[in-house]
Amino acid sequence: MTLVASISGIRGIFGAGLDASVLVRYTLAYGEWALRRAHHLPPRIVVGRDARVSGEVCMQIVVGTLRSLGLDVVDAGLATTPTVAMGVLEAKARGGIILSASHNPEEWNALKLLNETSEFLSPEEGATVMADAGKTPAPHGDRIGTLTRQNFLDSHIAAIEALDFIDPSPITARRFKVAVDGINSVGALALPRLLRRIGVRDDDILLLNGDLSGRFAHPAEPLPAHLTDTMARTREAGCDLGLVVDPDADRLALIDEQGVYVSEELTQVIAADFLWRRRAGPFVTNLSSSRAIDDVARRWGQTVHRSAVGEINVVRKMQEVGAILGGEGNGGVILPDLHYGRDALAGAAMILQHLAEQGSALSTVREAMPRYALSKEKVQLPDPDAALTRVVSRLGEDDAMVSTVDGVKLDFTHGWVHLRKSNTEPVVRVYAEAATEAGARKLATTYTDRLKASARGMSRAH
């Protein structure tokens, strides 16, 4: 049985951890939480889903549960996570639920929970919902909430098109040919419509994996090992670039005209390089993101702030420092002009605008970016908290700056390594970055081995 409850949502394998009773329990807790707050707004919740096969039945359970509490539900249907977030604002709702397990495999699903400002629940808000999920629901009246249906995609795209730095004219003039890998989920619905609205001709959009079946054409995380076919088809079709999203389209990866994968880490960096040409202001990213953003910030005389991993942690830091843009190294771009959440549609529009105005190929932009190698490992441990604590206690021999804001991060002159419990899987993630692939692998392997040794040492002690 697999169920992971964290600030990134309540996610699990449908029918083997995430079943009807779990969905009802957490939806009741969330619905009651929503009823206790934001009384200046109507008792309304927006619900949308990605294309996973389990999505429709999960949606019915969630919608019925919310209505049973007297909450009115706006069914956004098949919708990207950022589209649901925009829908919460448009509908003046008290919150939103997205049924999507993001980059997890297709047998997984999840409840991703938003508050009335369309942000993911804070750790404190999430803890309240988690605690309430174990309690008997409070009595409530016999009012049954209403159900309406509304598609928010057009208004989401209109808001992107209305941004003061988006102008379809140069994009139209460039006659971009764009490959879109929708992984058979909602990105296949949203990205082509966005591209048409900002100046790409329909005949110049090559849609790959676009059947909305929820049967993912490749592993859901948009990593190079999963995208060999997409990279080849982007190059062979003579496309100027490829856009790849995860199943709920909040993460964006890029492929250049040569069919070369552009690291997810660079999506936020290229977007920041584009925006800093127009505005000064801070940028926020998480502790596991590449140093490339710091290098580009120095070019523009701007500052970068770091937060714990987790979208809401980035958002809170953005609000604290007044950031004009933020993101995560997993391809997430957060643009406060729209909403405080990762938005692959906004990221795609910014990338195309940048290429059009610079008159550059994506490969040229990629080559101009700082170059680092990132190694991502994960390890299952019986007691990850204790193993991390034991590693931290033995860092005396390491010549590094140490942060324990989120797990443990060690910053060396030649690179960094970050060890932390995952918010979305029952594993410890080990991310390392250096100037070369060999250097990054060495860092990751060294500290993965230390974690395993710590676990073995604790096991022997018991």
Side-chain angles (χ1 to χ4, degrees):
M1 302 287 282
T2 301
L3 187 72
V4 181
S6 73
I7 60 170
S8 297
I10 299 96
R11 61 181 74 197
I13 297 173
F14 182 70
L18 188 76
D19 55 24
S21 63
V22 170
L23 290 167
V24 170
R25 187 167 73 249
Y26 281 99
T27 302
L28 281 172
Y30 170 78
E32 291 186 329
W33 173 84
L35 284 169
R36 294 194 297 266
R37 56 189 285 117
H39 291 289
H40 62 290
L41 297 171
R44 180 182 300 143
I45 303 294
V46 177
V47 183
R49 67 181 181 92
D50 70 15
R52 290 167 197 268
V53 173
S54 63
E56 184 177 2
V57 67
C58 290
M59 186 91 155
Q60 291 170 351
I61 293 167
V62 167
V63 168
T65 302
L66 292 171
R67 293 181 65 200
S68 77
L69 291 172
L71 284 160
D72 299 327
V73 176
V74 182
D75 180 352
L78 287 167
T80 74
T81 285
T83 300
V84 175
M86 293 290 285
V88 168
L89 299 175
E90 182 178 338
K92 297 181 172 58
R94 292 197 192 182
I97 296 178
I98 306 107
L99 285 150
S100 170
S102 301
H103 63 274
N104 290 82
E106 65 185 54
E107 63 270 20
W108 287 65
N109 215 326
L111 300 173
K112 298 172 71 172
L113 308 175
L114 306 176
N115 65 19
E116 72 276 7
T117 60
S118 83
E119 299 161 16
F120 284 111
L121 303 195
S122 69
E124 297 75 23
E125 292 168 337
T128 299
V129 172
M130 302 303 161
D132 288 351
K135 299 176 182 176
T136 301
H140 53 82
D142 60 359
R143 178 182 182 270
I144 301 299
T146 63
L147 175 63
T148 57
R149 291 178 173 83
Q150 184 172 351
N151 188 314
F152 295 101
L153 180 56
D154 284 339
S155 55
H156 180 190
I157 292 171
I160 294 172
E161 191 179 5
L163 292 166
D164 59 10
F165 49 77
I166 298 299
D167 177 6
S169 299
I171 295 174
T172 301
R174 271 292 297 271
R175 284 292 305 271
F176 285 113
K177 186 171 183 179
V178 184
V180 173
D181 183 346
I183 199 174
N184 295 335
S185 193
V186 291
L189 187 67
L191 274 176
R193 196 178 301 182
L194 167 77
L195 292 174
R196 287 190 288 267
R197 285 282 291 273
I198 62 172
V200 180
R201 296 187 349 157
D202 193 53
D203 290 347
D204 290 329
I205 299 171
L206 173 64
L207 179 58
L208 308 173
N209 307 318
D211 65 16
L212 299 177
S213 66
R215 297 296 187 188
F216 301 156
H218 50 73
E221 200 161 7
L223 301 175
H226 305 158
L227 300 174
T228 53
D229 183 60
T230 302
M231 290 187 283
R233 294 185 68 182
T234 298
R235 181 186 67 251
E236 291 161 2
C239 294
D240 295 287
L241 72 159
L243 305 174
V244 185
V245 291
D246 63 340
D248 66 328
D250 61 354
R251 292 170 57 175
L252 175 68
L254 308 171
I255 298 170
D256 73 18
E257 77 284 358
Q258 299 171 5
V260 175
Y261 179 85
V262 179
S263 170
E264 271 189 305
E265 291 289 334
L266 290 181
T267 302
Q268 63 170 348
V269 181
I270 296 171
D273 187 46
F274 164 74
L275 195 58
W276 275 324
R277 296 167 190 267
R278 291 159 174 76
R279 303 178 186 171
F283 185 96
V284 174
T285 191
N286 66 40
L287 286 164
S288 282
S289 294
S290 173
R291 285 180 176 176
I293 186 65
D294 302 275
D295 294 347
V296 171
R298 279 190 287 273
R299 294 178 189 173
W300 294 104
Q302 302 301 321
T303 56
V304 173
H305 300 265
R306 299 273 175 172
S307 77
V309 174
E311 184 175 319
I312 188 58
N313 295 319
V314 176
V315 165
R316 290 287 179 265
K317 178 62 75 170
M318 290 177 69
Q319 294 166 337
E320 176 188 327
V321 303
I324 62 167
L325 192 68
E328 296 185 291
N330 57 15
V333 173
I334 303 172
L335 180 65
D337 291 19
L338 294 173
H339 62 105
Y340 276 105
R342 294 180 306 196
D343 193 327
L345 279 71
M350 295 172 78
I351 299 299
L352 261 75
Q353 192 75 46
H354 185 52
L355 295 177
E357 292 180 359
Q358 296 303 303
S360 300
L362 182 53
S363 61
T364 303
V365 171
R366 173 176 57 83
E367 288 294 329
M369 290 291 108
R371 304 189 75 170
Y372 292 99
L374 189 66
S375 177
K376 297 184 179 184
E377 305 289 342
K378 55 188 177 183
V379 57
Q380 290 188 310
L381 299 171
D383 190 344
D385 289 310
L388 284 169
T389 299
R390 191 176 174 95
V391 167
V392 171
S393 71
R394 300 185 173 191
L395 291 177
E397 72 272 24
D398 296 287
D399 182 20
M401 291 179 58
V402 179
S403 167
T404 55
V405 169
D406 182 11
V408 55
K409 182 177 182 180
L410 293 88
D411 267 300
F412 304 91
T413 55
H414 61 282
W416 56 263
V417 61
H418 189 194
L419 300 83
R420 54 175 293 276
K421 281 202 313 182
S422 172
N423 292 329
T424 58
E425 295 180 76
V427 299
V428 173
R429 297 191 186 279
V430 181
Y431 288 1
E433 184 177 67
T436 64
E437 289 186 11
R441 282 197 303 271
K442 182 178 179 181
L443 273 173
T445 299
T446 296
Y447 286 90
T448 298
D449 289 346
R450 288 196 189 184
L451 277 171
K452 292 176 180 177
S454 293
R456 288 194 298 269
M458 290 184 295
S459 177
R460 286 193 296 269
H462 289 88

